[in-house]
Amino acid sequence: MKNFAYLLAQDLASASKALAGAKSAVAKGGGTDLLDLMKERVLEPDEVVHLGRAKRDAAEGELSALLTLAEVADHPWVKENFPAVAKAAGEAATPQIRHVGTLGGNLCQHTRCWYFRNPAFACFKRGTGACSAMDTGAHNRYHAIFPSDRCASAHPSNLAPALIAVGAKVACVHPDGNRTLDAELLYETPKEGKLGDTVLRPGELVRAVALAPSALARKSTYVEFRERQSFDFAVASVAAALHMEGGVVKDARIVLGAVAPVPVRARAAEKALVGKAPDPEAAAAAAVEGAEPLDHNRYKVVILKRLVRRALEELVR
């Protein structure tokens, strides 16, 4: 591992300033994945800016990005008004990691793709060539079934689909000006040579997530499938939210995780629901339209379809 300087930030504004002014720096929240990335030399920063002692800056209706996943999962206001978010946080990783990993870190984490994490292979995101996961004979069992043109990585965040489903906004801090984004707009299609999938500028940090209670958000859920329930990352996940009146769906949001390089709004599935009596089977079929599975992950299509149906059946009981 490359030697680095270690800075302790007192607040996120000063941390952002330090990150933006450094030649090569990374932020450390819980740090549950950072050490691996540095050992694998995917990240080789000159400076690591530790956020763990920074003030949790959050206004009313906001969740600080420095909250641990366990704190989000157990938050009474979140559980009552945004059940999908509480469930997603509670499903992440293991109890040990949930008590260390942060909300901001979960949103901004890097893909688990082993071709991305192994410098011996070509990787579009690392800027070293085409996507090795798309090669004939590649080990792509856990990769995207909705790949971008040149990247088949699978987005790993549990919380991102849930936050998008409930209409959350992400408040960011940067020396050149703070901004707030819809959670859905935090992510962009992978670009060559760009390691992360967020639109955050160099040095920009997620400060908090803003949540507004609504009928849609209160009727929400999150489901995922893992090979080993104890600690694996999701093979596929679904966050769903419904607003119903008189047995008719007035509004719907369905967001897919772990099946594309970024979280995916299943707009065709939403359209199949709105203005009608809920039809989980039709929505599930629409959710997997356009899937382009790779050589070894066709099973994900079946799993994803069943997860969409399960989530909707839970909401319409």
Side-chain angles (χ1 to χ4, degrees):
M1 183 188 297
K2 175 182 172 181
N3 290 337
F4 57 89
Y6 194 68
L7 286 69
L8 298 177
Q10 298 304 308
D11 55 65
L12 292 185
S14 61
S16 178
K17 186 175 182 180
L19 290 164
K23 180 180 178 181
S24 173
V26 295
K28 175 187 176 293
T32 55
D33 189 37
L34 179 60
L35 181 61
D36 284 342
L37 289 167
M38 292 172 67
K39 289 168 64 177
E40 292 157 352
R41 292 191 175 269
V42 176
L43 297 178
E44 296 185 283
D46 295 322
E47 299 178 4
V48 173
V49 180
H50 178 48
L51 309 177
R53 296 184 183 178
K55 178 183 177 182
R56 293 182 173 185
D57 183 12
E60 185 176 353
E62 291 184 339
L63 300 177
S64 168
L66 297 177
L67 287 175
T68 67
L69 299 177
E71 289 172 323
V72 175
D74 293 336
H75 199 299
W77 180 70
V78 175
K79 290 166 71 174
E80 179 181 356
N81 294 288
F82 313 96
V85 177
K87 289 184 69 174
E91 288 283 341
T94 64
Q96 295 92 330
I97 290 177
R98 289 196 293 273
H99 280 82
V100 176
T102 62
L103 168 57
N106 189 273
L107 293 179
C108 299
Q109 64 186 297
H110 290 285
T111 178
R112 305 302 301 181
C113 173
W114 36 65
Y115 296 112
F116 168 78
R117 289 168 177 264
N118 190 333
F121 292 92
C123 173
F124 176 72
K125 291 167 70 69
R126 292 202 323 273
T128 58
C131 177
S132 291
M134 292 182 170
D135 291 345
T136 301
H139 294 284
N140 47 36
R141 174 175 174 80
Y142 302 109
H143 286 74
I145 57 173
F146 297 100
S148 68
D149 290 341
R150 299 177 65 186
C151 180
S153 64
H155 190 77
S157 174
N158 306 72
L159 278 168
L163 290 171
I164 293 170
V166 301
K169 295 183 181 296
V170 179
C172 305
V173 59
H174 190 270
D176 292 339
N178 301 339
R179 60 174 174 166
T180 299
L181 306 168
D182 288 341
E184 186 175 2
L185 300 181
L186 179 63
Y187 302 100
E188 64 179 355
T189 302
K191 294 182 178 179
E192 186 170 9
K194 185 173 183 291
L195 299 181
D197 298 316
T198 73
V199 299
L200 297 178
R201 297 163 288 180
E204 191 169 22
L205 293 169
V206 175
R207 178 186 62 79
V209 170
L211 295 165
S214 66
L216 181 71
R218 290 190 189 95
K219 193 76 170 178
S220 64
T221 192
Y222 173 85
V223 295
E224 68 175 38
F225 175 82
R226 298 188 257 180
E227 287 191 340
R228 289 171 292 189
Q229 190 63 27
S230 58
F231 65 88
D232 268 345
F233 281 81
V235 168
S237 65
V238 174
L242 290 181
H243 176 204
M244 296 181 59
E245 292 181 4
V248 175
V249 178
K250 295 296 184 181
D251 195 9
R253 279 202 175 197
I254 299 174
V255 187
L256 316 177
V259 292
V262 297
V264 176
R265 279 280 298 275
R267 297 184 186 276
E270 295 170 0
K271 186 177 179 180
L273 290 168
V274 174
K276 310 167 188 174
D279 186 343
E281 191 63 43
V288 298
E289 289 178 1
E292 298 179 3
L294 304 172
D295 292 342
H296 302 296
N297 68 357
R298 294 181 183 277
Y299 74 102
K300 274 196 174 190
V301 177
V302 178
I303 289 175
L304 182 62
K305 185 176 179 180
R306 291 178 179 175
L307 287 176
V308 172
R309 186 178 64 195
R310 181 190 304 173
L312 294 175
E313 287 174 346
E314 176 184 332
L315 294 177
V316 300
R317 284 176 189 156

